[in-house]
Amino acid sequence: GNSVTQMEGPVTLSEEAFLTINCTYTATGYPSLFWYVQYPGEGLQLLLKATKADDKGSNKGFEATYRKETTSFHLEKGSVQVSDSAVYFCALSDSNYQLIWGAGTKLIIKP
Amino acid sequence: SQTIHQWPATLVQPVGSPLSLECTVEGTSNPNLYWYRQAAGRGLQLLFYSVGIGQISSEVPQNLSASRPQDRQFILSSKKLLLSDSGFYLCAWSTGTEMRTDTQYFGPGTRLTVL
């Protein structure tokens, strides 16, 4: 079946460091891929998405590229800020109205 | 613009008591609706989804149930809460116009503590 695997957290970085959060997936067909973010005490919100191979999603300085050959959708940001501290979820959509979620990666940015 | 509301925001209930959480969506018609649970330190677990009034699909056997009495209203219920029902409950909606690329939009969540 479809699945998403994320790197375990927490990931702790200093402000202005480069961020990579790894996400790999297993899926049949051609899923769409998503990154959602959950700030402390809040619900989830879409950060970015990509709907076909080689697409790059971007938002708020974050980027992720849909790599079909490596079945990956790694999240990157060139210079993180304290306000980026949150839990990040990778997910894929299948054709049955469902999102398949990774376990989430907690990111802690220290000033 | 579309908005999604959940209430209550927090709830503390004794074991064995009933539960009713409500979710409403504004600004869209015939949305797909979803209930998720997020246990502390863990990812999201899909509990129920609905593609229309009265149409409910359950993903996980449990003592919870869901209903969709109106197009934009989704209710999560239980007759008798268990300790293991504690968690953060999130409602979400999507347009359902293109299943594969649909974004799900989440409400603010309800923090349920069962004592």
Side-chain angles (χ1 to χ4, degrees):
Chain A
N2 298 336
S3 66
V4 174
T5 303
Q6 288 182 238
M7 63 189 294
E8 289 191 23
V11 173
T12 303
L13 296 171
S14 298
E15 206 166 19
E16 299 183 2
F18 184 86
L19 168 71
T20 300
I21 300 178
N22 290 336
C23 172
T24 57
Y25 67 91
T26 302
T28 55
Y30 303 94
S32 293
L33 301 171
F34 303 80
W35 277 102
Y36 281 81
V37 58
Q38 185 176 31
Y39 296 103
E42 299 183 13
L44 278 78
Q45 55 186 277
L46 178 71
L47 180 60
L48 54 85
K49 73 177 185 181
T51 59
K52 61 182 186 296
D54 299 325
D55 269 2
K56 178 186 285 187
S58 61
N59 186 26
K60 299 181 180 179
F62 290 89
E63 294 182 341
T65 301
Y66 188 161
R67 301 286 189 199
K68 193 166 178 64
E69 64 275 14
T70 55
T71 61
S72 65
F73 193 54
H74 304 322
L75 183 68
E76 297 181 336
K77 186 174 185 181
S79 176
V80 293
Q81 306 300 314
V82 172
S83 58
D84 294 325
S85 298
V87 181
Y88 292 81
F89 293 90
C90 184
L92 69 82
S93 68
D94 65 14
S95 58
N96 295 316
Y97 305 97
Q98 293 187 35
L99 283 176
I100 310 299
W101 295 86
T105 302
K106 184 174 185 177
L107 175 64
I108 300 170
I109 306 300
K110 295 186 174 181
Chain B
S1 64
Q2 301 88 358
T3 54
I4 178 169
H5 304 281
Q6 284 186 250
W7 63 90
T10 60
L11 189 60
V12 180
Q13 292 284 94
V15 169
S17 64
L19 173 73
S20 181
L21 303 181
E22 189 165 342
C23 170
T24 59
V25 180
E26 297 177 356
T28 188
S29 297
N30 197 32
N32 295 327
L33 296 171
Y34 309 82
W35 277 113
Y36 289 91
R37 176 170 57 206
Q38 184 180 27
R42 300 177 65 180
L44 277 74
Q45 178 186 37
L46 178 64
L47 301 175
F48 301 95
Y49 69 93
S50 171
V51 302
I53 295 174
Q55 301 179 61
I56 309 294
S57 297
S58 174
E59 292 301 304
V60 181
Q62 62 222 323
N63 68 320
L64 298 172
S65 62
S67 62
R68 184 170 178 174
Q70 301 180 40
D71 181 43
R72 289 169 288 179
Q73 185 184 33
F74 205 24
I75 297 172
L76 183 68
S77 303
S78 174
K79 293 182 179 178
K80 290 186 177 182
L81 283 168
L82 306 173
L83 286 174
S84 57
D85 291 324
S86 293
F88 192 47
Y89 288 81
L90 290 162
C91 181
W93 72 274
S94 68
T95 61
T97 54
E98 176 50 66
M99 293 178 284
R100 191 182 66 83
T101 61
D102 262 1
T103 296
Q104 290 186 16
Y105 300 93
F106 286 80
T110 295
R111 176 76 58 192
L112 172 65
T113 303
V114 182
L115 301 176

